[in-house]
C-alpha cells in the first residue's frame, strides 16, 4: 500500500489536484486558513488517472472489507468514484446527502439499501471527518452496518483520527498528507522550510494563521 500512496501522491501533484502555498494560504469553506489545498475531483478529467483511482479503491475494498455487500458515496465529491467502484465490483450503490432534500420524498440516502447491508463508504477527501461520519450515522440509522471507509486522500488531522476511532470506523486511503509532502519535497515543488510551515499548520489547523 505504501507504494500506491507514493505513486498516487505524485500523480495528484502532476495534475495539480494538490496545491501547496505555505506563503500564500488558501481560505477553506470552514474559514480555516490553509497552506494546503486538495481537489481530487480533478482526477475525473484524466481517464487513465480516473481508472487508477477506481481500480485502487476496489483493491482496497477487496483486501480490507471483503464482506461488503453495498457501496455508498458521500455527496457530492465521492458520488462519481463511488458509482464507478460499485460498478466495477458489481455491488449496489447509494449516495448520502449532506442533508435531506427539501422536497419530494425528502431523502437523505438516495438509492436502495437492504436492511442489514454491509456497506463500505467511499469518500474523495477526509479533513476533519465531520461530513464523512455524518454519512456513516445516516447509514447506520437506516439499519445497515458500515464495515469501513475508503478515500482517495486524508489530511490525517488528529481531530479526524480521534473521531473515526470513537465512531469505530476503519479508514483506508490511497494517499495522505505525509506522502504528498514527501513527493512535493522530492520534486522541488516545496523546500525544507516550507515543510516546517506545513507541519505546524497540521498540528492545529483551526487556529493556524500566516
Amino acid at each position: 500500500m505504501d507504494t500506491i500512496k507514493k505513486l498516487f501522491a505524485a500523480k495528484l501533484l502532476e495534475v495539480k489536484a494538490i496545491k501547496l502555498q505555505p506563503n500564500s494560504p488558501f481560505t477553506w469553506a470552514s474559514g480555516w486558513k490553509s497552506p494546503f489545498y486538495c481537489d481530487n475531483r480533478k482526477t475525473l478529467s484524466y481517464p487513465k488517472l480516473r481508472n487508477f483511482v477506481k481500480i485502487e479503491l476496489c483493491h482496497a475494498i477487496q483486501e480490507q472489507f471483503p464482506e461488503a455487500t453495498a457501496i455508498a458515496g458521500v455527496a457530492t465529491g465521492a458520488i462519481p468514484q463511488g458509482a464507478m467502484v460499485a460498478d466495477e465490483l458489481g455491488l449496489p450503490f447509494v449516495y448520502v446527502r449532506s442533508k435531506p432534500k427539501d422536497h419530494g420524498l425528502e431523502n437523505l440516502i438516495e438509492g436502495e439499501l437492504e436492511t442489514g447491508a454491509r456497506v463500505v463508504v467511499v469518500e474523495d477527501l477526509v479533513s476533519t471527518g465531520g461530513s464523512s461520519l455524518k454519512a456513516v450515522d445516516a447509514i447506520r440509522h437506516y439499519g445497515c452496518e458500515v464495515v469501513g471507509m475508503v478515500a482517495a486522500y486524508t489530511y490525517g488531522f488528529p481531530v479526524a483520527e480521534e473521531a473515526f476511532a470513537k465512531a469505530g470506523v476503519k479508514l483506508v486511503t490511497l494517499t495522505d498528507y505525509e506522502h504528498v509532502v514527501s513527493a512535493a519535497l522530492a520534486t522541488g515543488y516545496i523546500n525544507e522550510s516550507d515543510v516546517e510551515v506545513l507541519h505546524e499548520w497540521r498540528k492545529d489547523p483551526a487556529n493556524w494563521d500566516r
Side-chain angles (χ1 to χ4, degrees):
M1 191 68 186
D2 193 59
T3 300
I4 295 299
K5 288 185 175 182
K6 290 178 181 178
L7 181 59
F8 189 43
K11 289 179 180 291
L12 288 175
L13 288 165
E14 184 181 343
V15 301
K16 297 181 173 59
I18 284 179
K19 294 184 179 181
L20 304 175
Q21 295 180 187
N23 297 310
S24 182
F26 304 95
T27 301
W28 286 2
S30 62
W32 289 6
K33 294 291 184 181
S34 171
F36 200 128
Y37 189 80
C38 180
D39 183 4
N40 281 312
R41 288 166 294 191
K42 277 198 171 186
T43 62
L44 297 169
S45 299
Y46 299 86
K48 289 183 179 179
L49 184 52
R50 183 176 67 222
N51 192 60
F52 173 90
V53 172
K54 176 188 72 174
I55 295 302
E56 293 306 329
L57 287 176
C58 286
H59 286 166
I61 292 169
Q62 290 170 324
E63 291 172 8
Q64 300 291 331
F65 312 113
E67 69 273 34
T69 60
I71 303 296
V74 181
T76 60
I79 292 176
Q81 287 93 341
M84 289 188 294
V85 164
D87 187 61
E88 183 73 17
L89 296 176
L91 294 176
F93 174 72
V94 300
Y95 70 86
V96 186
R97 293 176 173 273
S98 58
K99 58 183 180 180
K101 284 194 301 185
D102 58 4
H103 60 279
L105 297 177
E106 300 182 350
N107 293 336
L108 182 58
I109 296 176
E110 297 288 3
E112 293 291 336
L113 271 180
E114 291 186 3
T115 301
R118 298 185 293 276
V119 183
V120 170
V121 178
V122 176
E123 259 287 26
D124 65 327
L125 176 149
V126 174
S127 53
T128 64
S131 59
S132 307
L133 293 175
K134 187 176 179 181
V136 169
D137 287 343
I139 293 166
R140 287 172 170 170
H141 185 72
Y142 201 82
C144 299
E145 176 188 358
V146 174
V147 297
M149 184 181 298
V150 295
Y153 175 81
T154 180
Y155 286 103
F157 293 139
V159 64
E161 293 179 349
E162 291 171 10
F164 273 84
K166 184 177 180 179
V169 178
K170 181 177 181 179
L171 173 65
V172 178
T173 65
L174 299 189
T175 195
D176 51 35
Y177 168 87
E178 287 86 355
H179 286 86
V180 167
V181 171
S182 177
L185 185 60
T187 59
Y189 184 17
I190 57 174
N191 56 45
E192 288 287 355
S193 62
D194 294 328
V195 174
E196 293 177 17
V197 174
L198 289 166
H199 286 350
E200 282 301 313
W201 162 74
R202 197 175 69 141
K203 288 178 185 177
D204 189 12
N207 296 305
W208 183 88
D209 203 354
R210 180 79 170 175

